[in-house]
Amino acid sequence: MQKEQRPAVADWFTADDGVVRLQGTRCNDCGTPYFPKNTLACRNPQCSGKKDGSELAEYLFSTRGRIWSYADARYKPPPPYVSPDPFVPYVVAAVELEVEQMVVLGQVVRGLTVDDLAVGMAVELTAGVLYEDDEAEHTVWMWRPVND
């Protein structure tokens, strides 16, 4: 029997419509995007908005980008990070999002190594399992290479 899938971190990404997208906020006045969500106020010093939080709206980020940097993660991150036991090394990539031009960090899909990646490579979001317990598979967003 397949386990239930649950986001490892609530409200950081969604796949409700079948497309994995990062969830954040965006300033209605100046357009500054925030990931993860910013609910306090727009932090852009050049923004002319109210800066009381009412200028921020829910926002779904673009699904594609290009690798800005990448590295092997060969040590088990300390708590509160949860990882499989035994720990399995993985690859992380910093990706500049196609539309927002901001860099977001995430794991690369399992099975790829740093030898499979290159700076500037096109990638898109997908979901993957971060860890599992008796009740569920806990998912996160991951990057996977795509053709331009």
Side-chain angles (χ1 to χ4, degrees):
M1 184 169 102
Q2 186 173 6
K3 293 181 180 178
E4 175 189 358
Q5 292 196 333
R6 296 180 194 159
V9 181
D11 299 327
W12 281 36
F13 75 100
T14 181
D16 291 343
D17 61 358
V19 177
V20 177
R21 300 183 77 144
L22 300 174
Q23 295 177 289
T25 50
R26 185 175 185 136
C27 179
N28 290 325
D29 294 304
C30 70
T32 301
Y34 295 95
F35 177 78
K37 292 179 181 178
N38 169 15
T39 58
L40 299 175
C42 183
R43 296 188 301 260
N44 181 348
Q46 298 177 351
C47 178
S48 60
K50 294 180 184 178
K51 301 205 184 247
D52 64 0
S54 65
E55 72 279 18
L56 300 171
E58 299 285 323
Y59 181 74
L60 295 176
F61 284 79
S62 54
T63 60
R64 296 181 64 140
R66 293 195 176 273
I67 293 177
W68 183 77
S69 185
Y70 55 94
D72 271 327
R74 296 200 166 269
Y75 69 93
K76 185 175 182 172
Y81 185 86
V82 179
S83 61
D85 189 21
F87 174 73
V88 178
Y90 55 89
V91 177
V92 293
V95 173
E96 184 176 60
L97 297 176
E98 191 171 73
V99 174
E100 297 81 9
Q101 303 285 298
M102 63 186 283
V103 176
V104 176
L105 191 66
Q107 288 190 23
V108 174
V109 293
R110 307 271 185 215
L112 295 180
T113 70
V114 292
D115 294 333
D116 300 313
L117 305 177
V119 170
M121 177 182 278
V123 292
E124 70 179 4
L125 285 169
T126 188
V129 176
L130 179 65
Y131 68 96
E132 64 180 276
D133 56 26
D134 293 338
E135 297 177 7
E137 292 180 332
H138 300 270
T139 59
V140 292
W141 71 91
M142 293 185 175
W143 301 109
R144 72 174 166 209
V146 293
N147 294 325
D148 286 322

